[in-house]
Amino acid sequence: MQPPAWCEAAALRHIAVHLGDDQRADAVQLLQRVLDDAMELALSPYQNELELVQDIARRLEPAARAAWLADLRARFKPKHNFVKNLPEG
C-alpha cells in the first residue's frame, strides 16, 4: 500500500503486525502512516496513539528510534500530553 493509495488504518496495522522480521522496514512505514493519520484527530490522553508509538519504536534500531522520537516531539509539540508520554529515545 504505497501512497497515494488509501487503506483503512486497521487494515494497514493488521498487515504491518503480520509482516516478518525481514520486512521490518515495511512494517514501520505502514505503522507510521497509521500513526500520522491517527494524530490528525487524536485527543488526550492519546492512549492508542502512544501504544502505536511503542509498537513502532520496538521495530526500529536505536539510532533510528531516537531520531524518529525527536521528530515526533517537534511535530506534535502542541500536543503536550502526547509528547510528555513518548518513550525515551
Side-chain angles (χ1 to χ4, degrees):
M1 291 301 309
Q2 296 295 322
W6 183 86
C7 185
E8 285 192 32
L12 289 177
R13 191 168 189 175
H14 179 79
I15 292 167
V17 167
H18 289 89
L19 291 175
D21 284 341
D22 60 325
Q23 296 174 304
R24 183 173 283 186
D26 294 328
V28 165
Q29 188 177 51
L30 289 174
L31 292 171
Q32 286 174 333
R33 282 178 57 189
V34 172
L35 179 64
D36 287 344
D37 288 347
M39 288 304 292
E40 287 183 24
L41 301 174
L43 299 172
S44 189
Y46 305 106
Q47 182 178 349
N48 293 331
E49 294 78 11
L50 289 165
E51 289 174 7
L52 188 52
V53 167
Q54 290 286 355
D55 192 18
I56 296 167
R58 279 193 302 272
R59 298 168 189 269
L60 292 169
E61 296 297 326
R65 179 175 43 247
W68 179 66
L69 290 170
D71 176 65
L72 290 179
R73 285 182 178 89
R75 283 195 299 148
F76 299 112
K77 189 175 182 177
K79 296 183 182 253
H80 303 289
N81 288 332
F82 175 75
V83 171
K84 81 175 183 180
N85 289 305
L86 287 172
E88 294 299 317

